[in-house]
Amino acid sequence: IPALMKKIHEARDNGLPCVEIWGTGKPVRDFLFADDLADASLYVMERYNACDIKYDYMNVGTGVGISIGELAKVIKEVIGYEGEIKFDSSKPDGMYKKILDVTKINKLGWQYSTDLILGIKLAYGDFIV
C-alpha cells in the first residue's frame, strides 16, 4: 500500500497520464490497518490463556482479500488521481493469493474494525502531513 500510494500521489501531483504497476493486478492480498494490529495484540495478551487454548500461533488479519488491481483503484479514488492505471504483465505477480486464516483469533472474540477504504484514507492523511 505505501508504494502504490506514493506512486499514485506523485503521478497526480506531476500530472502524469498513467501509473504503471508490475504484474496483472490479479493477485489477492489481505491488508490490516496498523491500529487494528495493535488492538489485536492487546486483546490477545489480555484474554489468551495457554492452558485453555492450545495454539502454536495465531494469525492476525481481516481474512478478507482484495486484488491488487482493485486496491489500486481504491487508492486512486482516495488520492483523487484522474489518470490511468496500467499493469505490466511482463513483470511477476508473485503468489496468487495471500489471505490469512483468522479463525483462531476470531474464536477468541476479536475482529478487525477498520475497513480497507477508511484505513487507506487514514494512512493517506498521515502520508501527506
Side-chain angles (χ1 to χ4, degrees):
I1 290 178
L4 281 175
M5 192 175 288
K6 181 178 187 285
K7 186 178 270 199
I8 294 170
H9 172 85
E10 289 176 351
R12 184 201 65 194
D13 285 359
N14 293 315
L16 299 178
C18 70
V19 169
E20 184 178 283
I21 299 173
W22 278 23
T24 63
K26 294 177 183 174
V28 176
R29 301 291 183 262
D30 180 349
F31 296 100
L32 180 71
F33 190 60
D35 290 1
D36 285 343
L37 176 59
D39 179 64
S41 299
L42 291 173
Y43 188 93
V44 170
M45 285 188 281
E46 292 169 351
R47 289 166 181 82
Y48 178 75
N49 182 340
C51 295
D52 295 338
I53 304 169
K54 304 288 187 209
Y55 294 150
D56 294 334
Y57 65 90
M58 191 172 304
N59 292 326
V60 179
T62 65
V64 177
I66 184 171
S67 73
I68 299 301
E70 288 300 314
L71 174 66
K73 287 179 190 175
V74 170
I75 293 172
K76 175 183 169 177
E77 185 177 311
V78 167
I79 291 174
Y81 175 60
E82 299 293 327
E84 184 181 356
I85 303 290
K86 291 186 178 182
F87 295 93
D88 182 354
S89 60
S90 71
K91 303 289 193 240
D93 268 337
M95 186 149 87
Y96 181 71
K97 196 178 229 182
K98 291 184 183 179
I99 301 173
L100 293 173
D101 178 355
V102 294
T103 304
K104 293 175 184 177
I105 196 162
N106 288 167
K107 282 183 180 178
L108 280 179
W110 185 85
Q111 179 82 23
Y112 73 97
S113 61
T114 309
D115 71 32
L116 183 69
I117 295 172
L118 176 59
I120 289 172
K121 286 178 180 178
L122 292 169
Y124 185 63
D126 288 340
F127 173 82
I128 60 175
V129 171

